[in-house]
Amino acid sequence: MTHFDEYQRFLRYKYGFYSFNILLGLFALNLFLGMVMEIQWGETRELEYILLVFSAVSFLVCQHFFKQIL
């Protein structure tokens, strides 16, 4: 399954771009909360980053698979 057609590549790049932008936005929001507001919403900073990355990856997976099915 290494060969994809043009439309599948386009969808993969599109959803990857969206999830990357979501990840950048969440990191900026976390930086704002941590530096300016001095709020730590996770138990540790590493847990916060893991949860942010998990949310972006789960968005990517859900968009890719559910758009393929529907």
Side-chain angles (χ1 to χ4, degrees), residues 46-67:
E46 291 82 16
L47 181 64
E48 290 178 358
Y49 292 135
I50 288 171
L51 290 174
L52 293 178
V53 169
F54 178 73
S55 63
V57 169
S58 64
F59 171 79
L60 174 69
V61 169
C62 288
Q63 284 293 319
H64 186 68
F65 285 123
F66 288 133
K67 293 290 181 171

Side-chain angles (χ1 to χ4, degrees), residues 23 25-35 37-56:
L23 188 62
L26 288 175
F27 277 163
L29 179 66
N30 191 29
L31 183 68
F32 175 76
L33 287 175
M35 291 236 170
M37 306 283 285
E38 296 181 5
I39 297 173
Q40 183 175 352
W41 55 271
E43 191 167 329
T44 61
R45 289 286 177 194
E46 291 82 16
L47 181 64
E48 290 178 358
Y49 292 135
I50 288 171
L51 290 174
L52 293 178
V53 169
F54 178 73
S55 63

Side-chain angles (χ1 to χ4, degrees), residues 2-48:
T2 58
H3 303 288
F4 295 104
D5 63 356
E6 292 293 321
Y7 183 68
Q8 289 172 337
R9 281 188 176 179
F10 169 73
L11 287 179
R12 190 173 64 185
Y13 293 144
K14 181 175 110 174
Y15 298 142
F17 179 73
Y18 289 164
S19 65
F20 182 70
N21 284 336
I22 287 172
L23 188 62
L24 286 179
L26 288 175
F27 277 163
L29 179 66
N30 191 29
L31 183 68
F32 175 76
L33 287 175
M35 291 236 170
V36 177
M37 306 283 285
E38 296 181 5
I39 297 173
Q40 183 175 352
W41 55 271
E43 191 167 329
T44 61
R45 289 286 177 194
E46 291 82 16
L47 181 64
E48 290 178 358

